[in-house]
Amino acid sequence: MSEPLTCDVVVVGAGMTGAACALYAARAGLDVTVVDRGPVAGGTTGAGEGNLLVSDKEPGPELRLALLSLRLWADLAQELGREVEYEAKGGLVVAANPETLDALGTFADAQRAAGVTADPVPAGRLHDLEPLLAPGLAGGVHYPQDAQVMPALAAAHLLRASGARLLAGREVTRVLHTPEGTVRGVRTDRGDLHAPAVVNAAGTWGGELAARAGVSLPVLPRRGFVLVTEPLPPRIRHKVYAADYVADVASDSAALQTSPVVEGTAAGPVLIGASRERVGFDRSLSLPAVRALAAGATRLFPFLSGVRAVRTYAGFRPYLPDHLPAIGPDPRMPGLFHACGHEGAGIGLAPGTGLLIAQALTGHPPGLDLTPFRPDRFPPTAQEAEQ
Amino acid sequence: MRTDLAVIGAGPAGLAAALAAERRGLRVALVDAAPEPGGQFYRQPAPALRAERPQALHHQWRTWTRLRDRLATSRVRLLTEHHVWSVERTPEELIVHALLGPEQEEPAEVRARAVLLATGAYETVLPFPGWTLPGVVTAGGAQAMLKGGLVVPGRTAVVAGTGPLLLPVATGLAAAGVRVGALVESADPGRTLRHAGPLAGKLPEGAGYAARLLRHRVPVLVRHTVLRAHGEGRLTGVTVAALDARGRVRPGTERRLPCDTLAVSHGMLPHTDLAESLGCRLDGLTVAVDAEQRTDVPGVWAAGEATGVGGSGLALAEGHVAGRSIAARLRGAVPDPGQWAPAARARARLRASAGALDAVFAPPAGWAERVTDDTVVCRCEEVTAGAVRAGLALGAGDARTVKLLTRAGMGWCQGRMCGPAVAGLTHRDPTPPRRPFARPVPLGVLARQHEENTDPAPGSGPDLDAGPDSGAGPDLGVASDLGGSPAPDAGPAPDAGPDLGAAPDPGGSPAPGGGPDPDAGPAPHDGPDPHGHHTERGSS
């Protein structure tokens, strides 16, 4: 084993969030090492669609984080837009009937008051925005701030831009601390890394990493399937979804939920989401889930009936019980910071998260109130309380 | 339709299993994507071509005619042009989902108590500079053109790569009147075969090919490789070079051979997509089975190349064992392995030779370094070797991340063509790919299945707001008629008559490649078809 490596901060996790933490920490002048048990973007980042959304968020702390992140994404796109396939495509949320449209309108009014651009689209104008949409829809709302990146490329290029040291294929087995309980680095399966600060950006495995630091963080997986079509010429211009998606995102149900989310990509294939179910880390194909996705997508865009799905894959959204991420210092262990639990919104929320973590690491006041994201906000389970 | 056993793949393994199970009283559906049974090994010319002597292109023609005749007189339901995209396991049964005909737009289902995966294997071709030129074809593709279409791919050919498939392809092309400029084999099989015990039975067969090569004046260059294919818009020749014992090019040995066709192959890979998405345990790149050919998923058996590439004789033996095991197990009986002892012995012997052949025929070390940065590796997405190497530099540590960062393997063929190449460039052993859909499936087919499996939606028009749970809980497979299908089984039939699976021809099985799959991915000369008319892939 070589000499233990010493740096200012170890970021655990080379996904989107870890990459953003590394970037903003490095730009704040810190010497950063990123360690991951797999390759870059090997977890949830590599299984996502790359959504940068405000449209699906109700007013509150997550929307504030999303608005901050979208501003930062627009800056990042100046440097890396082409490499990460950044597209400021906008979102279009549609309602099938007047009742849903009413509810959507009320939701959009509240978002507008919170700083979101949300333009009502009457039924007669929907096809100006999306010519191939199904007929007979009641109307919708256009969200020009919604955007998209290719998430694996985004993580890889942000990491490269950070200049941070990347140690891939190394698993953190323990977070090291002093007898007083202050972080002093991590132990990996291939040696120790010494640093006064450790950032938990381990995504779905963030709960496990927290446990290896001796603290609890109830991160759980929520499975989603994405259907990918054969490459098509550009036909779907926006991220298009049905208004009931918002209800699904916020739902607490463990059962399978699907609501159609359809978008084209720069590379040609159309991506179809979004299913949600809590089934642990089961990656096996669920035909009921992908059938429901296809049914929803073809209802929105009838032309898709004749288009072939070439593959489908599962990913696991890391979520916390109140559906907000954990961001910031952990008062239970000085030097430990968390940046995980972003559920299905991690790509979009990453830059804001990275900036807030960098501010915390350097002792600057946070750009957003971190209270709603406090990592110790969950009561310990009965089992943990016993220990 | 509903049946006892659904056999997927009508090649040697599937045919042997279907016949063995049918004879013992099971209702059997034999499902295959091709218009005719036989698989890649017994690929048949289309009847409209009126071939007079198709047997000239085949080995074991007698075995095939016996299988064919028995199939014709059996009660096996032969379902041709059924392209299987998934097998679904429900608490009650297994459902084989297929798409019909060349268009692959209309769905069909076979519901069965047991499934045998006899999905075969597909050909591997590793990239080299110039391999995308028109005129470069897979060796299996060239053979399929001969067997199925009775056409020859060119006038002057070079056959190159590695593996036992090269011999029959070279002799087949020569017999069809193509001038074969050279057979270029990167291994040194003669030298190894002379020292290999399990391959002793292969020597007469190899000698037969050698005699035919000699008769057609085909020069054989062992321990040689094709460095580059040349041509402006079309193949005009190749540069070959000798390799040293470590697989490196021996400087100064390069020379150019003119040709308009290069038939190239680097071995075979099992089709494991259906097994993988059913959750069957894989052993490396093959489906793991027990002595009865059972996978570890209840109700699912596997036989033939899917469980390890070993040729038609091995496939017949495995299929026979599987058919008898299934017949017993579906009756609730424990089969007596003594009943299939001859087949089990053939299986053991042929597996040993297949293992020895694998050791002999391996791509030469250093092939990946010889792939220039501008060489296209993934043809569907037009990803070059340079882009793959850039992906590695960006932090990709494995083939999956290379795919994410470069799109290599994301296209129409889903990495069937470029998977081994990307693994090699990534310095990793190939891993079993994850392909939940064994072939592309129209969204409309999936959508209709959703509607059929859920309560009929009231009213018409877009129903986007059926509530967040509109997709929940489709009841799988409980809705359709149980009494529909006739059950003609008259109980187990007496075990008599010639037993095809038990003793493959004693001369050993030629063509250990077992049946190339010319369409495993886009054929090297034409690339992916953007309109989705990409056709058959193996016998799945």
Side-chain angles (χ1 to χ4, degrees):
Chain A
M1 207 174 293
S2 52
E3 277 292 287
L5 188 72
T6 301
C7 58
D8 295 329
V9 55
V10 170
V11 175
V12 184
M16 188 68 247
T17 303
C21 290
L23 181 76
Y24 290 101
R27 290 193 174 171
L30 299 177
D31 180 14
V32 184
T33 298
V34 177
V35 59
D36 196 296
R37 60 181 185 170
V40 167
T44 308
T45 296
E49 297 154 289
N51 289 323
L52 319 179
L53 301 186
V54 289
S55 55
D56 65 340
K57 294 178 179 61
E58 61 185 356
E62 193 187 10
L63 181 58
R64 286 193 289 277
L65 180 60
L67 286 165
L68 167 66
S69 291
L70 278 183
R71 283 196 298 277
L72 295 171
W73 264 122
D75 295 342
L76 290 170
Q78 301 287 321
E79 305 170 46
L80 297 168
R82 185 198 292 269
E83 285 89 343
V84 306
E85 297 179 8
Y86 177 86
E87 263 191 286
K89 67 201 313 185
L92 179 63
V93 183
V94 297
N97 54 52
E99 299 79 58
T100 316
L101 186 61
D102 273 354
L104 176 63
T106 309
F107 186 70
D109 289 342
Q111 289 175 312
R112 218 173 286 115
V116 173
T117 309
D119 304 324
V121 184
R125 296 265 331 281
L126 281 175
H127 293 85
D128 297 346
L129 291 174
E130 284 294 341
L132 298 175
L133 261 182
L137 295 162
V141 176
H142 179 221
Y143 293 88
Q145 288 158 308
D146 285 357
Q148 189 178 23
V149 292
M150 199 296 190
L153 286 173
H157 283 282
L158 258 64
L159 260 183
R160 171 180 280 187
S162 76
R165 206 176 287 103
L166 170 64
L167 303 175
R170 270 170 86 152
E171 179 166 343
V172 171
T173 54
R174 256 178 74 190
V175 174
L176 304 171
H177 55 80
T178 62
E180 296 74 39
T182 301
V183 163
R184 61 179 186 86
V186 296
R187 175 148 298 161
T188 78
D189 53 358
R190 285 192 280 150
D192 290 356
L193 308 174
H194 289 171
V198 169
V199 178
N200 172 12
T204 326
W205 295 273
E208 175 61 31
L209 187 82
R212 290 177 190 192
V215 297
S216 89
L217 189 67
V219 183
L220 288 168
R222 198 176 184 189
R223 182 172 76 176
F225 280 98
V226 176
L227 265 174
V228 186
T229 72
E230 58 190 301
L232 300 176
R235 287 189 185 162
I236 297 173
R237 301 169 179 174
H238 302 81
K239 177 193 174 74
V240 181
Y241 61 92
D244 38 33
Y245 174 75
V246 176
D248 278 9
V249 171
S251 158
D252 274 325
S253 169
L256 171 67
Q257 302 168 301
T258 59
S259 42
V261 181
V262 183
E263 61 200 311
T265 61
V270 170
L271 304 181
I272 298 166
S275 68
R276 292 162 193 277
E277 50 193 325
R278 299 209 300 247
V279 290
F281 286 105
D282 179 2
R283 220 173 250 291
S284 59
L285 172 66
S286 161
L287 279 178
V290 299
R291 283 176 183 137
L293 292 179
T298 53
R299 281 198 296 267
L300 274 181
F301 288 100
F303 84 94
L304 286 174
S305 285
V307 170
R308 283 169 204 265
V310 296
R311 65 196 164 96
T312 178
Y313 54 85
F316 300 95
R317 305 175 182 90
Y319 78 96
L320 285 159
D322 58 3
H323 302 285
L324 288 176
I327 301 171
D330 192 326
R332 298 166 295 185
M333 180 176 274
L336 179 64
F337 298 76
H338 297 279
C340 60
H342 295 75
E343 197 151 351
I347 308 301
L349 301 180
T353 302
L355 181 66
L356 291 169
I357 289 290
Q359 288 163 343
L361 285 166
T362 51
H364 287 77
L368 282 184
D369 177 15
L370 290 181
T371 314
F373 307 121
R374 279 168 57 97
D376 61 337
R377 65 187 187 271
F378 304 101
T381 61
Q383 199 185 352
E384 285 159 357
E386 246 172 61
Q387 290 164 0
Chain B
M1 69 171 289
R2 206 170 272 279
T3 188
D4 293 323
L5 167 64
V7 175
I8 303 175
L15 282 165
L19 291 171
E22 186 263 354
R23 183 188 292 169
R24 285 162 186 80
L26 293 193
R27 293 175 301 163
V28 179
L30 179 57
V31 183
D32 197 282
E36 303 287 333
Q40 303 295 343
F41 190 79
Y42 302 126
R43 181 187 281 266
Q44 299 306 307
L49 294 173
R50 295 174 181 278
E52 284 180 16
R53 288 183 63 253
Q55 61 269 41
L57 298 166
H58 284 275
H59 296 281
Q60 297 194 329
W61 185 253
R62 256 183 320 133
T63 311
W64 160 242
T65 54
R66 279 189 294 175
L67 288 167
R68 183 192 61 193
D69 295 347
R70 269 196 51 200
L71 183 66
T73 56
S74 75
R75 287 166 303 162
V76 170
R77 277 282 297 276
L78 177 64
L79 303 173
T80 55
E81 299 198 79
H82 277 57
H83 303 262
V84 177
W85 59 270
S86 184
V87 179
E88 182 179 10
R89 195 160 160 266
T90 74
E92 298 83 23
E93 60 193 349
L94 290 143
I95 309 173
V96 177
H97 294 286
L99 297 164
L100 292 179
E103 296 82 16
Q104 300 184 41
E105 281 163 5
E106 288 306 312
E109 279 179 10
V110 179
R111 290 164 183 261
R113 297 163 63 204
V115 163
L116 172 72
L117 303 172
T119 45
Y122 61 101
E123 200 170 11
T124 306
V125 174
L126 299 173
F128 51 89
W131 77 303
T132 53
L133 278 170
V136 182
V137 297
T138 65
Q143 193 180 47
M145 279 189 239
L146 283 173
K147 282 186 181 179
L150 304 175
V151 294
V152 295
R155 297 175 58 173
T156 308
V158 167
V159 179
T162 189
L165 175 63
L166 302 184
L167 287 164
V169 170
T171 55
L173 287 171
V178 178
R179 200 183 80 76
V180 179
L183 190 165
V184 183
E185 163 63 64
S186 63
D188 188 354
R191 192 184 130 116
T192 319
L193 291 184
R194 278 193 294 280
H195 299 283
L199 291 174
K202 298 273 174 199
L203 280 179
E205 180 195 316
Y209 282 120
R212 262 175 279 165
L213 289 169
L214 200 63
R215 187 160 73 238
H216 292 292
R217 297 202 174 85
V218 176
V220 178
L221 305 173
V222 296
R223 218 185 259 178
H224 274 65
T225 194
V226 169
L227 287 183
R228 175 177 283 277
H230 305 277
E232 293 289 330
R234 172 142 201 111
L235 181 72
T236 55
V238 295
T239 296
V240 299
L243 299 170
D244 65 17
R246 291 179 310 144
R248 309 281 151 177
V249 171
R250 286 166 55 187
T253 61
E254 294 90 348
R255 62 185 154 122
R256 195 144 163 174
L257 302 174
C259 59
D260 59 17
T261 299
L262 172 64
V264 62
S265 170
H266 295 98
M268 310 284 294
L269 283 174
H271 271 299
T272 54
D273 304 343
L274 295 174
E276 206 274 342
S277 52
L278 272 166
C280 301
R281 187 171 68 80
L282 300 187
D283 181 6
L285 297 171
T286 64
V287 184
V289 287
D290 66 7
E292 290 179 35
Q293 302 293 137
R294 288 183 298 178
T295 72
D296 64 340
V297 172
V300 181
W301 278 253
E305 309 284 53
T307 66
V309 173
S312 67
L314 178 55
L316 286 169
E318 291 183 347
H320 181 77
V321 171
R324 295 183 74 134
S325 163
I326 295 164
R329 295 280 173 190
L330 289 194
R331 280 201 314 271
V334 177
D336 169 16
Q339 301 281 314
W340 61 62
R345 278 196 299 276
R347 182 177 64 181
R349 179 170 53 80
L350 293 167
R351 277 187 186 160
S353 2
L357 283 172
D358 273 354
V360 173
F361 295 107
W367 68 264
E369 284 84 73
R370 289 195 284 273
V371 181
T372 51
D373 274 350
D374 61 348
T375 303
V376 169
V377 171
C378 166
R379 306 169 66 116
C380 301
E381 296 286 335
E382 296 180 352
V383 180
T384 62
V388 171
R389 290 174 179 133
L392 292 176
L394 260 182
D398 58 5
R400 175 181 177 268
T401 324
V402 167
K403 173 169 137 179
L404 284 171
L405 296 181
T406 67
R407 305 197 56 77
M410 278 199 188
W412 190 259
C413 90
Q414 287 294 291
R416 286 178 179 86
M417 201 71 180
C418 66
V422 170
L425 290 167
T426 313
H427 314 294
R428 291 281 194 282
D429 289 332
T431 48
R434 238 167 214 293
R435 297 187 193 107
F437 299 144
R439 67 182 56 245
V441 53
L443 290 168
V445 168
L446 290 171
R448 259 177 284 152
Q449 289 181 347
H450 175 76
E451 313 300 347
E452 286 160 13
N453 284 324
T454 46
D455 292 330
S460 59
D463 176 25
L464 303 171
D465 301 320
D469 276 327
S470 61
D475 41 30
L476 293 172
V478 292
S480 50
D481 54 322
L482 278 154
S485 44
D489 27 343
D495 190 6
D499 201 346
L500 291 166
D505 290 359
S509 61
D517 182 350
D519 305 317
H525 58 290
D526 58 18
D529 180 340
H531 305 297
H533 295 309
H534 177 61
T535 51
E536 183 29 31
R537 211 194 52 236
S539 44
S540 57

